[in-house]
Amino acid sequence: MLAAAGAAQPLPLDINAPPSLEPVAAHIREIDRERLIAALGRAGLAPPRDARITLIPEDHARARATPHWIAAQASGSRDIVIFPARIGSYPHDTLDSVVRHELVHLSLFIAAAGRPLPRWFHEGVAVSVEEGWGLGGQLRLMVAAARDPSLTDLSRLFASDSQPENASAYLLAAALVSDIRARHGAAAPGAIASRVARGAPFREAFVAETGESPEAAASHAWGAYRRWVSWIPVLTGGTAMWLGILLLAAVAFIASLRRRARQRRRWDEEDESDADPGDTTGILPP
């Protein structure tokens, strides 16, 4: 296995990768961890002491057994698995954002002492901390919020086998947590998780920190987007609204594909310059 710890940076990373993904591993080693630690601190969270990141190529059995829209997975207080070839579309726009996103999951698990937190809270906090959504996400969020979803709908979207529905779930969760932090303090996620760690059920911890139920918080957060969408047909006409959304979404999608292609070309160029034909170490077991 190829492994390295970020000796010059906080939050040591133990990276395991086959030779074909060594350029990806090298990039991860250079990610600015101090920026992430500062963002975690603002959310009331501490960074994990270390993390073990395993990079999986698409021809590996584990990749074949994992739904294609899943670009990474975090488990427990230390372990992260990343499928680099799948990075390039929301909510997995860049390698940096994916690594930061999964490290936030580890921090939340530690903050809650391993006690359960809702999926929407986990994902919403992760996106909120790693700042992984932009114009395309905002447009898709307007469409998702216009359907007047509930937290039950959000759970269904996360459990769906459809990638677009999963993406909508991430957007709604991110908007909800961002609104919670804006209204109840940036460190609210850490405070809620700490109450859970001390034995409070999540709902009780949420109400104690925010003074409202999760359902009320969701209605407030998504209501702003519903109100905005309701005005667009008045200003532009329904056909123009959806045409505009589709065009902007298409632009965001094309930009994502181009960014993904550039990233892969960079990895290939680095791999060609650094590859050693005789090196057979780092091959992942099937």
Side-chain angles (χ1 to χ4, degrees):
M1 290 289 184
L2 297 170
Q9 295 196 60
L11 207 175
L13 301 179
D14 177 14
I15 306 173
N16 300 318
S20 62
L21 294 178
E22 173 54 24
V24 184
H27 181 89
I28 293 175
R29 295 186 189 106
E30 299 303 317
I31 287 177
D32 185 351
R33 293 165 225 171
E34 291 185 350
R35 176 184 173 189
L36 171 64
I37 290 171
L40 284 168
R42 289 191 292 273
L45 298 168
R49 293 184 178 179
D50 62 359
R52 180 170 53 213
I53 299 176
T54 301
L55 304 179
I56 306 290
E58 284 301 286
D59 58 359
H60 190 270
R62 184 163 184 177
R64 293 193 296 269
T66 303
H68 66 87
W69 63 82
I70 295 178
Q73 297 171 318
S75 59
S77 62
R78 190 185 179 204
D79 291 306
I80 294 172
V81 170
I82 298 177
F83 305 94
R86 303 178 182 187
I87 296 172
S89 61
Y90 186 86
H92 315 294
D93 293 326
T94 67
L95 177 62
D96 291 39
S97 69
V98 167
V99 173
R100 291 194 295 266
H101 185 103
E102 301 307 322
L103 287 170
V104 176
H105 283 310
L106 301 187
S107 292
L108 272 172
F109 180 90
I110 294 168
R115 294 178 181 274
L117 298 170
R119 175 77 183 276
W120 67 261
F121 186 76
H122 249 289
E123 300 298 351
V125 173
V127 176
S128 172
V129 171
E130 58 98 352
E131 301 172 345
W133 60 326
L135 174 61
Q138 292 278 4
L139 292 169
R140 289 191 292 270
L141 176 57
M142 289 170 61
V143 176
R147 299 170 184 170
D148 194 16
S150 66
L151 286 181
T152 300
D153 295 324
L154 188 54
S155 298
R156 178 186 59 79
L157 291 172
F158 272 123
S160 173
D161 291 333
S162 165
Q163 192 277 336
E165 290 195 340
N166 268 248
S168 294
Y170 276 92
L171 288 164
L172 290 166
L176 172 50
V177 171
S178 294
D179 186 66
I180 291 167
R181 296 183 67 189
R183 293 191 296 120
H184 301 293
I192 294 170
S194 294
R195 284 184 179 271
V196 172
R198 296 194 295 271
F202 174 80
R203 184 182 183 84
E204 178 183 313
F206 188 95
V207 172
E209 288 297 329
T210 66
E212 62 183 347
S213 69
E215 292 79 10
S219 179
H220 183 280
W222 302 332
Y225 289 91
R226 287 196 298 273
R227 288 191 295 273
W228 172 246
V229 170
S230 70
W231 275 99
I232 294 179
V234 176
L235 299 175
T236 66
T239 301
M241 174 190 74
W242 291 110
L243 179 60
I245 287 176
L246 289 173
L247 287 174
L248 288 171
V251 170
F253 178 70
I254 292 171
S256 174
L257 291 180
R258 289 179 174 175
R259 182 170 60 250
R260 186 173 183 173
R262 287 196 301 270
Q263 185 179 66
R264 285 184 172 177
R265 283 198 300 271
R266 185 174 67 252
W267 291 345
D268 289 342
E269 291 169 359
E270 293 173 353
D271 192 27
E272 290 173 1
S273 63
D274 298 336
D276 179 358
D279 183 8
T280 59
T281 63
I283 299 177
L284 293 165

